[in-house]
Amino acid sequence: MITLVKGFHDILPDQAPLWEFITHSARETLKRFGFREIISPVMEKTELFQRGIGGQTDIVEKEMYSFADRGGENLSLRPEATAGILRAVVEHSLLQRESPLKLFTMGPMFRRERPSKGRFRQFYQINAEVVGEDSPYVDAETIAAAHQIMVALGARGLMIELNSVGCRACRANHREILHAFLSDHIGRLCEDCVRRMAINPLRVFDCKAEGCRSVMKGAPLISDYLDEPCRLHFDKVKAGLELLDVPYRLEPTMVRGLDYYTRTAFEVIHEDLGRSKAVGGGGRYDGLVHELGGPEAPGIGFALGVDRLVMGMDEADPRFARGVDVFVAALGEHARDAAFQLVHTLRSAGFSTETRYGAKTLKSQMKQADKLKARFVLMLGDDEIAANQVTLRNMATREQHTIPMEKAHEILQGDLT
Ligand code: AMP
């Protein structure tokens, strides 16, 4: 048997309705917030992610599926969606036609991380981006959209963890002070963090190693080094969330793993899944469009992980129950042909309809109808065919009566609505 690639997973038919529910609901919510869909490729030039996400980030350094294709071009499966979306925005000059641009996409991402519960190497994200506006209202509204997606899915125990990582100027100021602090504790930092320290010391806050975490408890926080415009912007974002009743708590050590974030950074926590389970995150990236060869356009976005959202849902929830409108049961060879045709007529008329060719007795066919949670069963025997009739059984009330065959779909229409 050839098995799955490690860290990849199948979404089996019992789970697929949860995925459909989540993506459909998220799509509806995002449209209400004015987002339009963009569908970009799952593979891009490796250089895009090196430039966009940052060559020294864990994602780019250690986790990308990168390879040279048969023509020798260096390509990577996308580890996140923002870089590809912004590449498309710049390449097609979308900002010249519309600003702000509000875009969303849904699809698989690939990171060669260590697999664990809720952590896969192919996972599915819902992404939203607003490009071209830096108003703090946009930040609050974008966070509210992420929150609203969760609310519409019926998630409880929601919390937004919020921080501001400042602009380049604040970061430069803080960086020196943080660097000096880390130099004083260098002996307790892990190897990775000693390297990170020189490149982007802020990322040491993200390290999970025990030694680094205990050092960082006393580290100078970026939130204490925001300049006046960034502080005012952040105050307005918080006020905006309060106006919209979006619950948040400040997390001054949350910096997120990518280099491109500026100012607002946030994570969506679903506390019902456990305190550490972020289902999504995002933030502002004011220099990124320019970095990718576009105009100086600010932006903000987020990603919600569908695999994690599914973890918070129950397959047995009646919303995901499998059910067909009609099961057609046939008794006798003659009736089988007529049933075969009737199934097709009903499907064409818009009813989900099933039958089973292998099941011969009425009893076994009724069992199948039960299993499929059919709301109605239409029974055809040779006598009924001769009289051009069928027997209609309501599976909930167990009532049944004989009706003219050609009226079947009209009657079902009335009963099903
Ligand atoms: P990130 O792009 O790392 O900010 O992740 C945003 C969201 O994507 C996370 O909160 C998760 O829900 C989801 N996610 C990220 N990495 C993985 C992974 N390896 N497996 C499953 N979900 C992931």
Side-chain angles (χ1 to χ4, degrees):
M1 183 180 58
I2 299 168
T3 55
L4 267 170
V5 179
K6 186 174 176 197
F8 285 57
H9 67 132
D10 294 310
I11 296 135
L12 298 174
D14 278 347
Q15 285 224 310
L18 279 68
W19 289 68
E20 188 191 342
F21 172 74
I22 290 169
T23 49
H24 174 78
S25 170
R27 190 175 251 114
E28 293 304 303
T29 304
L30 286 164
K31 283 185 189 163
R32 286 203 298 279
F33 278 78
F35 289 87
R36 294 196 299 149
E37 187 161 12
I38 179 165
I39 302 169
S40 52
V42 295
M43 196 158 68
E44 299 275 357
K45 292 179 181 165
T46 300
E47 191 191 349
L48 175 74
F49 301 116
Q50 286 167 339
R51 190 120 62 94
I53 302 172
Q56 269 87 34
T57 54
D58 281 355
I59 292 188
V60 171
E61 252 188 355
K62 300 184 192 159
E63 297 171 0
M64 278 210 302
Y65 282 93
S66 302
F67 61 98
D69 78 354
R70 287 170 195 274
E73 195 161 23
N74 287 321
L75 303 175
S76 294
L77 292 178
R78 62 181 180 190
E80 56 95 63
T82 306
I85 293 178
L86 296 186
R87 193 256 324 127
V89 166
V90 172
E91 193 164 348
H92 303 285
S93 308
L94 298 186
L95 276 167
Q96 283 171 18
R97 281 187 250 155
E98 191 175 328
S99 182
L101 260 177
K102 297 167 94 175
L103 303 172
F104 76 89
T105 200
M106 297 182 183
M109 308 295 150
F110 305 84
R111 293 182 198 168
R112 202 176 183 289
E113 294 187 80
R114 186 192 296 274
S116 61
K117 188 165 189 291
R119 188 167 295 284
F120 305 100
R121 289 180 170 177
Q122 176 177 328
F123 55 97
Y124 203 92
Q125 281 187 341
I126 297 163
N127 283 83
E129 317 286 345
V130 183
V131 191
E133 246 197 76
D134 64 1
S135 159
Y137 284 110
V138 171
D139 300 45
E141 186 184 80
T142 305
I143 296 171
H147 179 254
Q148 191 56 49
I149 289 175
M150 299 293 298
V151 170
L153 292 175
R156 283 165 310 185
L158 293 175
M159 183 52 69
I160 304 297
E161 291 188 344
L162 188 68
N163 195 17
S164 172
V165 294
C167 64
R168 258 190 210 140
C170 324
R171 292 263 274 272
N173 198 4
H174 173 253
R175 185 190 169 115
E176 265 182 45
I177 291 149
L178 182 58
H179 193 272
F181 170 86
L182 293 172
S183 303
D184 289 344
H185 296 85
I186 198 159
R188 290 166 61 200
L189 299 179
C190 73
E191 225 174 85
D192 274 350
C193 282
V194 172
R195 242 173 355 104
R196 283 184 186 130
M197 208 179 109
I199 305 154
N200 183 357
L202 209 53
R203 293 225 331 276
V204 181
F205 278 108
D206 257 352
C207 186
K208 302 281 179 282
E210 214 33 70
C212 302
R213 283 171 70 146
S214 77
V215 168
M216 294 317 278
K217 280 188 187 142
L221 299 168
I222 179 74
S223 48
D224 293 331
Y225 290 84
L226 298 183
D227 61 17
E228 189 67 359
C230 287
R231 202 176 50 71
L232 290 175
H233 190 274
F234 194 39
D235 285 346
K236 199 84 183 133
V237 174
K238 290 184 275 186
L241 291 175
E242 280 153 33
L243 285 173
L244 302 184
D245 272 337
V246 176
Y248 73 89
R249 77 174 156 244
L250 297 178
E251 277 298 328
T253 61
M254 193 244 302
V255 294
R256 306 207 16 91
L258 316 182
D259 276 354
Y260 55 58
Y261 287 116
T262 54
R263 292 188 163 175
T264 312
F266 67 97
E267 292 208 328
V268 183
I269 307 294
H270 190 184
E271 292 185 330
D272 288 357
L273 291 184
R275 171 70 178 71
S276 62
K277 282 291 179 240
V279 290
R284 185 161 272 294
Y285 45 77
D286 288 346
L288 187 55
V289 179
H290 188 61
E291 183 64 37
L292 295 177
E296 279 290 357
I300 181 167
F302 65 81
L304 294 172
V306 181
D307 313 72
R308 300 255 174 101
L309 290 171
V310 169
M311 281 167 59
M313 292 186 165
D314 186 1
E315 268 174 40
D317 185 323
R319 286 180 302 182
F320 312 123
R322 183 175 183 191
V324 296
D325 296 331
V326 195
F327 185 91
V328 178
L331 286 165
E333 271 321 298
H334 243 69
R336 175 43 70 201
D337 269 1
F340 179 66
Q341 212 179 9
L342 181 61
V343 168
H344 187 69
T345 310
L346 291 172
R347 285 176 178 161
S348 309
F351 304 106
S352 58
T353 311
E354 268 300 349
T355 191
R356 286 290 178 264
Y357 303 117
K360 299 279 185 252
T361 64
L362 183 62
K363 197 171 160 201
S364 66
Q365 295 189 67
M366 292 310 280
K367 247 194 201 161
Q368 295 286 345
D370 265 337
K371 209 166 154 192
L372 292 166
K373 297 200 171 63
R375 294 177 62 189
F376 291 91
V377 173
L378 282 174
M379 289 174 265
L380 282 93
D382 290 346
D383 292 350
E384 273 116 337
I385 305 288
N388 209 19
Q389 289 186 324
V390 289
T391 301
L392 175 68
R393 180 178 170 90
N394 181 325
M395 296 296 274
T397 63
R398 291 161 189 255
E399 280 169 337
Q400 64 182 56
H401 48 271
T402 306
I403 57 170
M405 175 102 79
E406 67 280 359
K407 286 255 162 86
H409 73 261
E410 236 172 77
I411 293 173
L412 279 169
Q413 192 83 58
D415 284 350
L416 281 164
T417 47

